[in-house]
Amino acid sequence: MSDRVIAITGGHGVLGRAVVEAALAEGLKVAVIDHATHPAPEGVLEVGGVDLTDPAQADRAVAAVIDRFGRLDALLNIAGGFVWQTVDDADPAWDRIHALNVTTAVNASRAALSHLKGSPEGRIVNVGSAAALRAGAGMG
């Protein structure tokens, strides 16, 4: 598996870090694409300071992965966020939440798609929050 290259959006979050560690344990080559910037584990490509709601920044982030590893076999869209508020709140965060959870995944996927088509095992994995399945009354 050591030839496989994966890019993980949101790789500095709690789930993202766990996925990075698991991927490294499997011998994968890993790139972390995140809005945050943190030192990455040895051998991991850190592509930080990326606003994936901007398609051009998503393109540049994926290009950095290709520049470093020469290929991309899987994109794991883990980046996202959540604001717990009811539908009747005065200033709902719908646009921001949509951008964090949907726009980021769409832009990263579009940036990676042509490279993934070149991989015999090219995959996109989108991760959603279990909390979205358990929202309470009044929550969207």
Side-chain angles (χ1 to χ4, degrees):
M1 292 185 74
S2 63
D3 289 339
R4 293 186 186 156
V5 177
I6 65 169
I8 302 170
T9 70
H12 291 310
V14 174
L15 178 58
R17 285 192 306 264
V19 173
V20 168
E21 289 175 17
L24 291 172
E26 290 294 323
L28 301 174
K29 295 176 183 172
V30 178
V32 170
I33 301 172
D34 205 305
H35 191 265
T37 56
H38 295 287
E42 185 176 336
V44 173
L45 173 63
E46 160 73 18
V47 186
V50 178
D51 178 359
L52 288 172
T53 65
D54 177 354
Q57 289 190 42
D59 288 342
R60 286 192 295 273
V62 170
V65 175
I66 301 304
D67 286 347
R68 166 77 175 271
F69 296 113
R71 61 184 289 157
L72 180 61
D73 298 298
L75 171 69
L76 284 68
N77 285 312
I78 299 176
F82 184 72
V83 175
W84 193 263
Q85 68 180 174
T86 61
V87 176
D88 63 351
D89 278 343
D91 187 21
W94 297 108
D95 291 340
R96 182 166 54 108
I97 296 306
H98 184 270
L100 283 171
N101 293 290
V102 178
T103 305
T104 58
V106 169
N107 288 342
S109 296
R110 290 183 76 198
L113 196 56
S114 65
H115 304 288
L116 294 170
K117 286 180 178 179
S119 170
E121 299 179 18
R123 301 285 186 272
I124 296 174
V125 177
N126 295 314
V127 176
S129 171
L133 301 175
R134 295 185 302 266
M139 298 300 299

